[in-house]
Amino acid sequence: MATRRAVVTGASSGIGEATARALRQRGWDVVAVARRADRLQRLEDEIGVVAFAADLTVDADVQALAEWLEESGPVHSLVHVAGGARGTDRIEAALTEDWQWMWDVNVLSAQRLVAALLPLLRLGADADGHADTVFVTSTAAQTAYPGGAGYNAAKAAEAMVAHGLRLELNGEPIRVIEVAPGMVRTDEFTLNRLGGDRDAADAVYAGVESPLTAEDVADVIVYALDAPGHVNLDLITMRPVAQSAQHLLARGPLRPRLVD
């Protein structure tokens, strides 16, 4: 079988970048997609991905990506990491434009990519046995929390894209995998959500022993992709040990409760 090729969105930072790196280490060809061309170029120069700058909220950009992929080789995997959150306001005080942005980058981008790339994934599956789609959602898709309803709604909708797609592809050798991380500490996610307030972003993680890293999530994505082609990991929920549930977070050292 030829070297497998993955399209990784959100590849200019965080989980997307870590996934591109992890796949390259495993021998995959990687097309790294994001808006920031300069960061993608540095990644291309460093690890040998192929950079493709695109805004996934723009139909023409996604169509251009699909056309370039069709001309340049097979596609075996779509790993959709791009997304994000804005604001922590209660529903009554939230900005509609923030909710619109979250819907665009988390949900409509997923639909655009599936519509544009599914024909190429079918060709990859036909040639090499199977193909994959991976959607990185969030535990926010599973449990609401105060100040998070806009992001909860967007990620829950993205999860439904994955669930519906899996049903629609029944009978085809195309896996649909959802990875839903809990608390992940990256350079940008919380900082962007909080409008660039570094102190507020740092406070989110204060005292939490070993939040997940982007590399942790990338390892799980690669594990799911490298599983035998007949094995579909429908939903992988992952959290740091310090986060037992969306609402239950331990701050301070983790210690066993020893009995004298």
Side-chain angles (χ1 to χ4, degrees), residues 135-211:
F135 299 88
V136 178
T137 61
S138 170
T139 54
Q142 303 170 3
T143 306
Y145 53 89
Y151 187 56
N152 294 141
K155 280 302 185 183
E158 185 184 355
M160 286 300 109
V161 171
H163 297 178
L165 182 63
R166 189 179 300 113
L167 300 179
E168 292 171 0
L169 295 180
N170 180 252
E172 299 189 57
I174 302 175
R175 302 186 296 190
V176 181
I177 299 160
E178 179 188 353
V179 179
M183 176 178 274
V184 184
R185 184 162 197 170
T186 62
D187 291 336
E188 296 187 346
F189 176 84
T190 301
L191 187 65
N192 290 340
R193 183 176 195 175
L194 298 178
D197 187 332
R198 172 62 67 183
D199 290 340
D202 289 343
V204 170
Y205 306 100
V208 179
E209 184 173 319
S210 300

Side-chain angles (χ1 to χ4, degrees), residues 4 8 11-12 55 66 80 88 90-91 127-128 167 173 175-176 196 198 201 217 224 226 233-234 236 243 246-247:
R4 297 180 73 80
V8 180
S12 61
D55 183 340
H80 184 38
T88 57
R90 293 163 58 92
I91 296 170
D128 295 310
L167 300 179
R175 302 186 296 190
V176 181
R198 172 62 67 183
V217 183
D226 279 348
L233 300 178
D234 286 18
I236 306 165
Q243 187 182 33
Q246 194 74 10
H247 65 283

